Amino acid sequence: MIKKIKITLSILLLIACLASCNNKPKENEVWIEGEITGESFPWIIIEELTPNGVQKIDSVAVINQKFNAKIKVDEIGFYFLRRSANNFISIVLEPGTIFKIKAPADSLGYPTEIVGSSENNKMLELNHKLDDCYRVTDSLSKIFKEYQYSEKFDSVKITIDTAYYQMFNAHKIWLETFIQNNPTSITTIVAFYQTIGRRSFFNAKEDFSVMESIDKNLQLKMPNNKHVAKFHALFLEQKIFEDQRLKSEIALEKGKILPNIELPNSKDELIDVSKIKAPRKLILFWNIQSLVDHSDRGLIKSALQGYKVIAISFEQQYELWQNYAPKEYPNFVHLIDLKGLQGFTAQTFNITNTNIPFYVIVDGENRIIASGKSLKELLKTK
């Protein structure tokens, strides 16, 4: 009897020891402990935001308004706890930690308590500030609908548009400050890609310096993280375009000789632009689509006295260009690069879908006078 008691005690001690040894997550594991307040629901979904999209990890039962889960997490990353499409919270999970949350059943994104990675406070801050933006747009949308058939609509719309752009610009400035203040936080990636509706606050081309700063800091801290690696790959792609833009800017500085352009005309004759004689030449880089409903279209036809216009098209439909260009602009010298925006000419002058049509003015010695996207401003150049 005594022997049986000793064996039982030994087993209990072993169980107690194992339990005490297992009071924290493994190095590649995260424990999630949640409490739902208010009217509860039967389950909650755990999802991971991977560089390739959202992946469901688990579905956890909510019992007596509480839920627990253990999931494998090899590196810091982005996750969702979701009840429905509109009721969820974005979180950051780090390996070897316990994540605790207490939140109302109808608003998981506004937890009353949250414990875990400090990155979660930054993520909440990002999301809550964005929610403020949506509240503004919702209010503006209501005003729009109220006045859209009113005589006051035109003046009200100006006020609505002004309020929207003020909100948008203010939030972008806030995001820039957030990124500056949290240089090594993985949430800066989320900040850079934040959107309101379909509109992004940052653009990889226009905000390249912001992208470069994020990449530099995260590469120093966690270069092997999959989210950082994906961001770095996108940064390197953009850097190719940025380097080309800078190279083109240097090539188009005032006073420099126009880079060489030799392209065929409609008779398949190779024309060297530098050998076209004129006191002033305006080189127009275009394709048909770029000038459809473009404000420069009328200006091109009416305000180019004193210029020899060389229209270089990137239209890849040769017959369409051949039939359209001479009829639309009969006094121009028409050349074409059938390689389109991927060709050498477009790369040399950094012509893209975002800046076409593009203009370069040169003097009789092929020295650059001015270049840019605004023909109206260029024509003021002396």
Side-chain angles (χ1 to χ4, degrees), residues 154-250:
D154 289 343
S155 60
V156 170
K157 187 176 184 302
I158 292 172
T159 303
I160 291 172
D161 290 344
T162 301
Y164 174 84
Y165 286 112
Q166 286 177 343
M167 173 278 297
F168 186 93
N169 292 329
H171 187 67
K172 182 173 181 178
I173 292 170
W174 183 87
L175 287 172
E176 289 172 344
T177 303
F178 177 91
I179 290 168
Q180 291 170 3
N181 292 342
N182 301 281
T184 59
S185 170
I186 196 170
T187 58
T188 54
I189 295 176
V190 177
F192 187 79
Y193 286 119
Q194 253 197 4
T195 63
I196 183 162
R198 295 182 179 180
R199 190 175 182 197
S200 300
F201 289 97
F202 292 104
N203 177 286
K205 179 182 177 182
E206 296 173 2
D207 302 292
F208 180 77
S209 61
V210 178
M211 190 179 195
E212 185 175 34
S213 173
I214 293 171
D215 180 75
K216 179 181 177 181
N217 289 314
L218 293 183
Q219 279 294 302
L220 290 173
K221 184 179 181 183
M222 54 183 91
N224 296 322
N225 180 276
K226 60 189 173 186
H227 297 284
V228 174
K230 179 61 179 287
F231 189 85
H232 183 60
L234 294 172
F235 164 75
L236 291 178
E237 286 182 11
Q238 188 59 42
K239 190 175 187 304
I240 293 172
F241 296 112
E242 181 65 11
D243 290 345
Q244 181 60 47
R245 183 189 67 78
L246 293 173
K247 183 179 177 181
S248 176
E249 275 189 6
I250 293 170

Side-chain angles (χ1 to χ4, degrees), residues 328-363:
E328 187 72 7
Y329 306 106
N331 299 322
F332 295 178
V333 176
H334 289 285
L335 307 177
I336 189 167
D337 188 341
L338 288 171
K339 293 182 179 178
L341 297 179
Q342 308 305 316
F344 177 78
T345 306
Q347 290 181 14
T348 300
F349 292 88
N350 194 38
I351 311 300
T352 67
N353 283 317
T354 59
N355 70 357
I356 191 171
F358 188 83
Y359 311 92
V360 179
I361 297 176
V362 298
D363 64 16

Side-chain angles (χ1 to χ4, degrees), residues 11-78:
I11 293 172
L12 291 172
L13 285 171
L14 179 60
I15 293 171
C17 180
L18 290 171
S20 65
C21 292
N22 195 28
N23 60 1
K24 65 178 183 179
K26 299 175 183 177
E27 290 184 357
N28 66 341
E29 187 177 57
V30 170
W31 294 356
I32 299 175
E33 300 176 5
E35 182 177 348
I36 305 299
T37 59
E39 186 178 347
S40 190
F41 39 74
W43 46 264
I44 194 165
I45 295 173
I46 304 171
E47 299 170 327
E48 181 184 5
L49 177 60
T50 74
N52 298 316
V54 177
Q55 178 180 342
K56 183 178 177 180
I57 300 298
D58 201 356
S59 181
V60 183
V62 179
I63 301 173
N64 296 326
Q65 296 186 306
K66 294 183 178 181
F67 64 92
N68 293 275
K70 293 182 181 180
I71 63 173
K72 183 181 178 183
V73 176
D74 293 315
E75 60 182 349
I76 187 170
F78 305 115

Side-chain angles (χ1 to χ4, degrees), residues 89 91 99-104 107-114 124 128:
I89 182 171
I91 61 175
F99 175 83
K100 298 181 181 180
I101 183 172
K102 184 176 181 180
S107 186
L108 294 176
Y110 281 79
T112 54
E113 294 178 25
I114 191 166
L124 282 177
H128 290 174

Side-chain angles (χ1 to χ4, degrees), residues 295-305 329 332 375 379:
S295 58
D296 284 355
R297 192 163 178 263
L299 191 61
I300 288 171
K301 287 189 171 185
S302 64
L304 294 179
Q305 293 84 0
Y329 306 106
F332 295 178
L375 180 59
L379 292 177

